[in-house]
Amino acid sequence: MTMSATSSLLARSVAVRAAFITSLAIIFTLATGLIDGGPGVGSAQALAQPIFPIANALPGLMLATLLLVLTRRPLLSFGLAFLLEALVYGVNALKVSNLNTPLMPADFRMLGQLRRGGFQLLGSYLPSSPWPYLALAAALAIIVLAWRMELPLFARRTRGKRLVSGVALLLFGTLLAGMPGWMKIYGGRHLWLEPWSATATAEHSGLVSSLLMFHLNQGHARKKPDAVAAQQLIAQSDSALRERLQSPSGAQDEMPDIVVVQSESFFDPSIMKGYQDVDLTPNLHRLAAQGESGPLHVPTYGGGTIRTEFEVLTGLSLRYFEDLQFPYLQMNHKVVPSMVRALRAHGYETVALHGNDPGFWNRTTAFRAIGFDRFVSRSAFPVKAAMDGQYMADSAMTDEIMAQLKDAGPPQFLFAISIEAHGPYDVPPNDLAARDEIAVPEGVTGKNRQELQNYLYHMQHADQELGRLADLLARRERPTLLLFYGDHLPALTDTYNTTGFVDGKDMLSQAGTWLLVDPRNPVHTEPEALASWMLPGRLLQQAGVRDDAYFALTQVIAPQLAALTRAPGAPPESEDAGERTADKDMSNVALLRMKGKLDALLPRAEVQTADASHDRRTTAQPEAAGAQQ
């Protein structure tokens, strides 16, 4: 064979291999659009707007190419990349079915929680059918077969070409790292980015593109606070602020104990059609007539408890921290300003209670930064603490609250996090007969009916324990304030789609409920809508702790901004010019607060706090022997 013939054959061989790889890339792109299902990245749009399906498949193509460089086997490489991509889409389908919102970049932080008690909780949402797992096993078998049977496409030694390709594919790492250059593709100018709606973004641009756009935009969209704008809001509120910073006449000599109950997935079902004339929360309604209460706007739906929890403990709205999707997993501050620290400055002993693994959601570290003295977690509860369904019963939490409260010593702040009503709601409860007696609205059938009954069974336990706790606190020797609220609506998406809500809005726009009562001194007030980040200011005001101007400011601004807090993906509330200005100025206040640069701008109250040395104690210490975390 002549040299020219050899060169011609080699050229044809290279062309054939290149065509084969190109064909696999096209098939991969079309298959990605198929499993995505979004109208913007389907095969019908491949010619009309090719950048959408290509951009959505690009990370997978880069991964497949990297694997090809390493293994030299194209079918194995593209197959493995597609399998990993399909797993991401499977997890996304689970999240959408439960929480009605697609995956976001911060969701991948949950992988680190699997070894901290998260696997049992999150694993309970996996499908019970064996078919998905059989399909996964079959796919893995095919991958292994391809590894063993497929012949390499090119030689092991390619005179440095593979090395050059490998270096080029470092670009894949820069994409995952969110390097600014990728903003030219995923910055939202070419693709369809709607910052207020991950769902709409994923539908138009594809899930993978949506993840990258939010990753890149959140990574480069950190706001810098405007001290001048913050000062303007504070100056406008000066007289109202100073009025709230003054101690009321006839203030009590004894600081009250404070019990806060964050009730898992609690809401008043009367906001649902079919339950508007049914009283499923009699204790909530009884106590609401004896204290303060109203709708509560929270920053999450169906899950993400720590979003509401963070707002309540710190008084900071996550609306102003767009990059904090899961604050406890992302906080880099060793000290976080909070209601807890404000109470410690007044001599309070601060304790958190939760009948679950303390490491889940990174609570152990977060509670230390927020300022808790102690964190009483699952292992510190009695060994035979009551369980109902999958989790610890609310009755056990009430018992532990009363066991922790003392009748002597410094005032106490107890923050109790319930878990009985946590989803998923396909786990049978202890009393099936009681569950089956719960009526459901017309049209709710099958699996949805049982899940709704399971939820209401646990929710009614929460209401019963609210009533029992209030009655027990009323009989204590020391005065006690009780704050009770739900962290978010339960993830009953299909049921809500069937029934609808009384106000005509969707599930993401619904408010929960809050209640603040002094069980020994009932005083009725008119209902008032608040956001979760406004609760600590209201609680401190009622407790007589009035020397923190930031928390006082949240009360001054509450009527204007409460309804703007909403779950991710919820339709934005309309704002007039005044509300937009107040909202923007409050965001600067919050950013300065988090950075520890706000105090110099705030008016000071002439109130003496307890020995400041109390606040310098080591925080969030484990329980003593016999009650270790």
Side-chain angles (χ1 to χ4, degrees):
M1 181 178 292
T2 65
M3 184 176 295
S4 60
T6 301
S7 299
S8 176
L9 181 61
L10 180 61
R12 286 198 300 271
S13 176
V14 171
V16 169
R17 284 182 288 181
F20 180 54
I21 294 173
T22 301
S23 299
L24 288 177
I26 293 173
I27 293 171
F28 186 98
T29 301
L30 295 175
T32 299
L34 181 64
I35 63 171
D36 186 284
V41 295
S43 57
Q45 299 297 324
L47 297 178
Q49 48 182 36
I51 189 172
F52 281 75
I54 292 174
N56 192 52
L58 182 59
L61 290 171
M62 294 173 69
L63 176 59
T65 309
L66 178 59
L67 292 172
L68 178 60
V69 170
L70 296 174
T71 68
R72 299 178 294 141
R73 292 167 171 82
L75 292 178
L76 169 67
S77 301
F78 280 87
L80 185 55
F82 188 76
L83 176 60
L84 293 174
E85 187 179 74
L87 283 175
V88 172
Y89 274 100
V91 173
N92 178 70
L94 286 174
K95 185 182 178 186
V96 170
S97 66
N98 283 281
L99 303 183
N100 204 44
T101 187
L103 281 175
M104 291 287 285
D107 289 323
F108 290 90
R109 293 178 180 270
M110 294 300 297
L111 293 174
Q113 297 300 299
L114 296 179
R115 58 185 177 84
R116 299 176 179 175
F119 184 80
Q120 178 183 1
L121 190 151
L122 297 175
S124 60
Y125 288 94
L126 293 174
S128 56
S129 170
W131 292 112
Y133 308 104
L134 292 175
L136 179 60
L140 289 173
I142 294 173
I143 295 295
V144 172
L145 186 65
W147 171 259
R148 296 181 64 87
M149 302 295 294
E150 186 181 9
L151 296 176
L153 187 65
F154 45 81
R156 182 181 299 275
R157 298 183 181 277
T158 56
R159 298 179 182 179
K161 293 179 181 178
R162 288 177 66 198
L163 177 61
V164 172
S165 300
V167 172
L169 285 166
L170 285 175
L171 291 172
F172 185 59
T174 66
L175 176 59
L176 296 180
M179 298 298 286
W182 290 101
M183 292 286 285
K184 293 181 179 179
I185 298 177
Y186 296 103
R189 291 186 294 273
H190 301 294
L191 303 179
W192 193 324
L193 172 65
E194 297 188 34
W196 56 87
S197 177
T199 300
T201 301
E203 286 179 354
H204 293 294
S205 301
L207 173 67
V208 178
S209 289
S210 173
L211 286 168
L212 289 170
M213 283 191 285
F214 278 103
H215 174 54
L216 290 166
N217 279 272
Q218 289 174 355
H220 297 88
R222 293 191 176 98
K223 301 177 183 176
K224 293 184 178 180
D226 183 345
V228 174
Q231 182 65 66
Q232 177 180 335
L233 177 63
I234 293 168
Q236 292 172 349
S237 309
D238 186 73
S239 59
L241 259 179
R242 293 186 183 279
E243 181 180 347
R244 289 181 180 274
L245 290 171
Q246 295 176 0
S247 297
S249 58
Q252 70 259 31
D253 295 328
E254 184 179 11
M255 300 295 289
D257 287 340
I258 299 172
V259 175
V260 176
V261 174
Q262 178 175 276
S263 189
E264 174 62 44
S265 301
F266 187 93
F267 81 114
D268 186 348
S270 64
I271 66 174
M272 292 173 60
K273 291 181 179 178
Y275 284 133
Q276 61 265 48
D277 299 320
V278 181
D279 188 1
L280 294 174
T281 55
N283 290 286
L284 173 69
H285 296 149
R286 170 176 66 87
L287 293 168
Q290 302 174 15
E292 301 179 65
S293 66
L296 183 67
H297 299 278
V298 300
T300 189
Y301 162 81
T305 292
I306 58 168
R307 290 178 58 80
T308 303
E309 187 175 306
F310 173 84
E311 291 201 349
V312 171
L313 290 174
T314 65
L316 295 167
S317 173
L318 289 174
R319 176 180 174 81
Y320 306 134
F321 300 90
E322 294 178 358
D323 57 330
L324 284 182
Q325 293 297 312
F326 297 121
Y328 291 177
L329 306 183
Q330 298 172 259
M331 289 192 315
N332 297 316
H333 301 75
K334 293 184 178 180
V335 175
V336 177
S338 67
M339 166 175 64
V340 183
R341 293 188 177 278
L343 289 169
R344 289 187 53 177
H346 283 263
Y348 275 80
E349 179 189 7
T350 57
V351 181
L353 307 173
H354 183 40
N356 198 25
D357 190 312
F360 187 60
W361 284 131
N362 198 34
R363 278 192 172 104
T364 300
T365 300
F367 283 174
R368 184 179 298 114
I370 287 170
F372 281 105
D373 293 319
R374 293 187 292 124
F375 181 15
V376 181
S377 57
R378 176 65 184 91
S379 60
F381 279 67
V383 175
K384 296 184 178 180
M387 304 285 289
D388 200 332
Q390 193 168 346
Y391 303 108
M392 182 177 290
D394 282 358
S395 60
M397 190 183 72
T398 301
D399 294 341
E400 187 62 27
I401 290 172
M402 298 309 300
Q404 290 288 332
L405 288 172
K406 306 175 182 67
D407 289 324
Q412 294 177 273
F413 170 71
L414 266 63
F415 182 75
I417 307 164
S418 79
I419 195 171
E420 179 182 335
H422 200 292
Y425 302 111
D426 55 0
V427 178
N430 289 357
D431 191 341
L432 293 177
R435 188 274 310 273
D436 292 340
E437 290 178 356
I438 299 173
V440 301
E442 184 178 353
V444 180
T445 60
K447 177 174 175 284
N448 293 335
R449 174 188 179 89
Q450 188 171 93
E451 289 187 351
L452 177 58
Q453 288 177 317
N454 285 340
Y455 165 73
L456 292 174
Y457 168 94
H458 294 300
M459 184 279 297
Q460 288 181 304
H461 283 184
D463 181 73
Q464 292 163 14
E465 290 305 312
L466 168 62
R468 182 166 80 98
L469 178 60
D471 293 342
L472 291 170
L473 296 178
R475 296 197 291 268
R476 293 188 71 226
E477 296 178 9
R478 298 174 64 161
T480 311
L481 289 178
L482 172 60
L483 172 63
F484 177 93
Y485 66 92
D487 55 351
H488 52 70
L489 265 66
L492 298 169
T493 302
D494 290 342
T495 295
Y496 302 143
N497 287 331
T498 299
T499 63
F501 291 90
V502 174
D503 64 3
K505 297 181 179 180
D506 69 2
M507 67 194 82
L508 299 180
S509 302
Q510 298 303 312
T513 189
W514 69 277
L515 166 73
L516 176 58
V517 63
D518 179 348
R520 296 202 312 191
N521 299 291
V523 177
H524 177 64
T525 62
E526 291 300 315
E528 180 180 0
L530 293 178
S532 45
W533 59 277
M534 300 168 182
L535 286 181
R538 182 59 55 91
L539 177 60
L540 292 175
Q541 177 180 297
Q542 291 301 103
V545 177
R546 294 172 175 247
D547 57 347
D548 191 310
Y550 172 77
F551 286 118
L553 179 62
T554 65
Q555 300 307 290
V556 173
I557 207 74
Q560 288 178 274
L561 302 182
L564 299 182
T565 291
R566 62 188 189 275
E573 291 288 332
S574 60
E575 299 177 75
D576 59 29
E579 289 171 336
R580 280 194 297 272
T581 299
D583 188 30
K584 183 176 180 180
D585 291 346
M586 191 64 195
S587 73
N588 290 301
V589 170
L591 291 168
L592 290 168
R593 170 80 166 179
M594 179 67 95
K595 291 178 175 290
K597 298 179 180 180
L598 181 66
D599 288 350
L601 305 180
L602 293 169
R604 295 189 178 275
E606 297 180 1
V607 178
Q608 297 296 318
T609 62
D611 185 359
S613 64
H614 177 87
D615 198 45
R616 292 195 294 269
R617 298 175 308 182
T618 301
T619 61
Q621 294 299 315
E623 289 283 37
Q628 294 294 322
Q629 292 181 17

